[in-house]
Amino acid sequence: MHQAYNVHSILKQGVQIESIAAYGNHVILGTRSGQLIMYSVDERGVDMRMFNKNFSRKPITQMEVIAAENLLFVLTDNMIQVCDIGRLESNFAFLHSAADTKGCTLFTMDVDSQKSTTGEVATFIRVCCAIRRRLVFFFWKKDQLDSLQLSIELSDVPKSLCWVGHAVCVGYKDEYVVYDISCNTPKKHDLFLTSSSVSRDPCICLIRNNMLGISKDKYLVIVDPSQYKSKDNATSVDEVHPGGMESKNSLPPLLWSSPLLDLVWDDPFAVGRVNNAIEVRSLVGKDTLVQSIPELEKTRFLVHADKGTIFAAATSELWCIRQVEIPIQRQQLLQQKKFQLAIEVTQISDEAAEDKAQTIRQIHMLYAKELFTNKEFAAAMKEFEKASIDPYDVIRLFPNLVPEPKPGTEDTTVPVSTAPQLEDGDLENAYLALIEFLALARQREVVKLRDTKSSSKSLLEIIDTTLLKCYLQTNDSLVAPLLRLNQCHLEESEKTLKKHNKISELSILYQMKGKHKEALKLLQEQAGIEGSVLQGRKRTIRYLQELGTDHLPLIFEFADWVINEHPEEGLSIFTDELIEVESLPRAKVLDFLITKHKSLIIPYLEHVITEWSDTNTLRHNVLIKQYREQVQRLLLQQEKGEEVPELKPLRAKLYKMLKDSSVYSPDRVLEEFPTNMLLEERALILGRLKKHEKVLAIYIQVLGDVAKARAYAEANYEHDKTIFQTLVKTIMVPPTEPIYEGVALHPDFSPEVNREVLLELLNTYAIKIDPIEIFEFLPADMPMHLLEKYMGKAVRQKLADKHHMQMMCGLLEAESNRLEAALQAKRAISFELNENSVCPECKKRFPSQSAFVRYPNGQIVHLSCHDRLARAAAQQ
């Protein structure tokens, strides 16, 4: 305990006190004989300021002061009367007698002050009266009490009342209830009994301006009335059940030496009247008793006057109870290690705001240190947080977390030497508490770094490195997410991870710090170690895929061993469907494969061209070249009698590529193509170059494939109308020697003309073959009757073409004549424009030598008017 209050006797004999009220340094007594007396109490002594001997003929049973309005509400003869206390000479001048309150035995008030936009302060006063078994509500307006048109029927006569905001708490002789008056119909909420054993008078007090302090047996129960506020006329709260003592979000019950008889709140103390004394208690800490004042055992009344001032009264005695000066109290509390209460009393002091904040911070520091010494680590970290301590100073409490002391001056705030030596069990709890503290500190530093750019990155580095060490001791699953935040100190974290054999996390550290070569070396070393978390190639492949173009040399360096071990998996480094992979420079990747891994050129280019729709001419040329070289190699193996099952599908790929690709360079491809093999593929390239004679010669004279020759001619007829003539000439003029060295001619078309095929082509494509162009090439001994069908079709086509030409000439001549006649008709139109002609647009005349425009409807306007209209139409 410590001495929080001093007691001063004011009045020892005189009137019989029936009620008491106070404000500031003033105390007002209401006597049994109906007198009102005001005393002023200060350092100089006691002075009677007002005295009204005949205020009432009946005892004055209750009084409430509204100091802001200089009003005193008095309950006497079961009716409320209001008097003025603003003028000393008036001696409680009478203002109003509220007849509607007749029968009132008890009342409570709700006072709300609001500042307007002009700076004026308005005070709103509401009064709740207990009239028999009913609560009736009034408000103060224009020097009188008016009804609020609200009343509540009660189950019994109330013994105690307290009003806070939307809630009115009623204490009966056996129970407490709360009424929510914020809804249309007041809602009742049962609280608990006044006592679990015997009948006791209820006791209710307003705590901290917004909480209810309610007495039950030897306990003071703190109730938050906000949880009883209804929403949309329906409550959704966890009510306190009858007989219960705690409510949602409330403080724990406060134990007293005996049941409370009266109670006042003087922040931060609850001052209560018990059987044989006045007790002062705090709401915080384990030992709540602050002071006991047994000399005031005879008191009947307690009233709070002002901060630090309470008046107590017996039947004919009066005392003033004043708080001891805050610095003196604080010193006593710190000596007793009651840090929480020391903080609370400091918060109500009149010290300068800056000095007060510094003092509170120092107390939080002392309290945190004490909690840490007592191994209450979680509570200690919360106090460190409130003290806004440098996180590094907290980390220094754990010597094994900081390898070297922080450079600079020694810290005097948290002496590390007094920290206890922690065992394994305590150490884990301490680490968990430290993690929570550092996580909050990290959030603040990140916000500072983002918003103000003023936070030190080195502090973030210290915090993250310490978190890393704590996670390794408590929950190593959090290590990897922390490392990805990329603030840990590289060397210290590397050493710590190696010590704990966290190889996977070490690779993440290297990656996030940009040490990619070290990370890839680690992955390569661990890939072949049995049982390692990094065993295998997948982590390396994924890592290389994520590096991107900026690290291409590194990708090539470490892709090499992966491809050597497993080419297919290694190729995925350059072909997986990832943005980073697809954006790699394909020319450089191709050069790498050509230099070191030629077997992967074809699958790589196939993926690039087929899956990614690559249209680069060079890469199409390279793929064709790779196909050709492979096919040539397999053909040579086949000639030697070896089985080559892969030849057919590979040659099909080459043929499809030459046929479907439209971006390769045919002339460049043709330069490297052999002339003694792959003639069908050569024909495709020649066809792309529009060398029809050579293409048809290959199909007819070498391959003997008339169907492909016909298909080729049909496909190119629209671009070359003479291609069918070229086709039949190729048949009619068989070669005398091979068209390519080492290539044998097809026996069906050499050395004699294949008349059967020739006649079929002539008869089928008669309308597309000009007889004049081919007659000189026909065999001299071919009978004319075999050409009858062809000639008939050809001649009819010629006549049809001539007739069509004549019709077109006639139609064109008629159209020409029509247009000439229309032109002459237009030229024959005339009109007159004189000095009386007016432009319909601007309403002005046409001066001589004026430019004008005539519309088809005959309307004539100025050229300038026409231009203006045209611009307006174009803008719409």
Side-chain angles (χ1 to χ4, degrees), residues 359-376:
T359 302
I360 291 174
R361 179 179 178 274
Q362 291 174 353
I363 299 173
H364 277 300
M365 295 283 288
L366 293 171
Y367 187 30
K369 175 187 170 184
E370 178 69 17
L371 290 170
F372 193 89
T373 303
N374 295 333
K375 300 182 181 180
E376 297 181 39

Side-chain angles (χ1 to χ4, degrees), residues 317-385:
E317 294 183 68
L318 183 64
W319 296 271
C320 179
I321 307 173
R322 292 191 186 276
Q323 267 198 40
V324 176
E325 292 181 0
I326 298 298
I328 297 175
Q329 287 194 67
R330 183 166 57 230
Q331 184 178 4
Q332 295 178 21
L333 290 169
L334 292 178
Q335 290 174 352
Q336 299 173 16
K337 296 185 177 181
K338 293 185 176 181
F339 302 103
Q340 291 173 284
L341 189 54
I343 291 170
E344 289 206 343
V345 298
T346 304
Q347 287 173 339
I348 66 167
S349 70
D350 295 328
E351 298 168 313
E354 186 175 343
D355 295 339
K356 184 191 298 186
Q358 180 62 23
T359 302
I360 291 174
R361 179 179 178 274
Q362 291 174 353
I363 299 173
H364 277 300
M365 295 283 288
L366 293 171
Y367 187 30
K369 175 187 170 184
E370 178 69 17
L371 290 170
F372 193 89
T373 303
N374 295 333
K375 300 182 181 180
E376 297 181 39
F377 305 111
M381 294 304 162
K382 290 180 181 179
E383 293 303 314
F384 281 133
E385 178 75 20

Side-chain angles (χ1 to χ4, degrees), residues 213-244:
I214 304 175
S215 171
K216 175 181 171 61
D217 292 327
K218 293 183 179 182
Y219 290 94
L220 176 66
V221 183
I222 309 300
V223 177
D224 181 5
S226 64
Q227 63 180 309
Y228 300 106
K229 187 171 185 178
S230 301
K231 297 179 180 179
D232 299 327
N233 294 330
T235 183
S236 59
V237 300
D238 299 329
E239 297 184 7
V240 174
H241 298 287

Side-chain angles (χ1 to χ4, degrees), residues 23 43 110 224 235 303 323 429 444 446 452 464 539 565 620 682 692 758-760 771 777 785 861:
Y23 68 99
E43 294 79 1
D110 178 66
D224 181 5
T235 183
V303 63
Q323 267 198 40
N429 293 331
R444 290 195 303 271
V446 169
T452 65
D464 280 10
R539 286 288 292 269
E565 284 193 4
H620 281 248
R682 186 180 186 86
H692 304 312
L758 175 61
L759 288 173
E760 183 187 355
F777 300 104
H785 70 274
V861 299

Side-chain angles (χ1 to χ4, degrees), residues 368-569:
K369 175 187 170 184
E370 178 69 17
L371 290 170
F372 193 89
T373 303
N374 295 333
K375 300 182 181 180
E376 297 181 39
F377 305 111
M381 294 304 162
K382 290 180 181 179
E383 293 303 314
F384 281 133
E385 178 75 20
K386 294 175 183 177
S388 301
I389 188 175
D390 184 347
Y392 185 76
D393 293 328
V394 179
I395 296 170
R396 289 177 59 193
L397 294 171
F398 301 82
N400 57 330
L401 296 182
V402 184
E404 296 179 2
K406 184 179 179 181
T409 59
E410 292 186 1
D411 181 21
T412 58
T413 310
V414 181
V416 180
S417 58
T418 60
Q421 293 294 326
L422 303 178
E423 302 297 333
D424 291 343
D426 293 330
L427 193 59
E428 182 175 356
N429 293 331
Y431 282 151
L432 291 172
L434 179 62
I435 287 171
E436 186 175 352
F437 171 79
L438 292 179
L440 293 173
R442 189 185 195 286
Q443 290 178 6
R444 290 195 303 271
E445 295 304 316
V446 169
V447 170
K448 290 179 184 177
L449 189 63
R450 183 181 65 243
D451 296 344
T452 65
K453 310 298 181 184
S454 62
S455 177
S456 171
K457 285 189 176 182
S458 62
L459 180 56
L460 269 178
E461 196 173 76
I462 293 171
I463 291 174
D464 280 10
T465 306
T466 305
L467 281 172
L468 170 65
K469 295 178 180 179
C470 291
Y471 288 154
L472 288 170
Q473 297 288 343
T474 58
N475 187 358
D476 56 7
S477 64
L478 298 174
V479 171
L482 175 68
L483 291 172
R484 291 190 176 94
L485 298 175
N486 194 26
Q487 295 294 342
C488 291
H489 186 269
L490 177 60
E491 290 77 12
E492 183 66 21
S493 301
E494 179 184 24
K495 182 172 65 176
T496 303
L497 291 170
K498 286 181 178 179
K499 177 182 177 182
H500 289 82
N501 196 31
K502 294 295 181 180
I503 304 301
S504 178
E505 289 78 4
L506 182 58
S507 70
I508 296 174
L509 174 68
Y510 286 145
Q511 181 180 14
M512 300 313 298
K513 289 296 183 181
K515 302 294 182 179
H516 301 299
K517 191 162 188 175
E518 288 80 353
L520 289 166
K521 283 181 179 179
L522 178 66
L523 292 172
Q524 184 177 0
E525 292 169 0
Q526 295 293 318
I529 299 177
E530 189 70 28
S532 172
V533 293
L534 300 180
Q535 183 182 0
R537 298 172 291 269
K538 290 186 178 180
R539 286 288 292 269
T540 300
I541 291 172
R542 183 65 180 175
Y543 196 109
L544 293 172
Q545 288 173 338
E546 293 175 350
L547 281 179
T549 306
D550 294 340
H551 303 280
L552 199 59
L554 207 57
I555 295 174
F556 292 156
E557 179 182 350
F558 287 91
D560 200 40
W561 75 267
V562 179
I563 295 174
N564 288 333
E565 284 193 4
H566 198 291
E568 186 177 345
E569 287 187 9

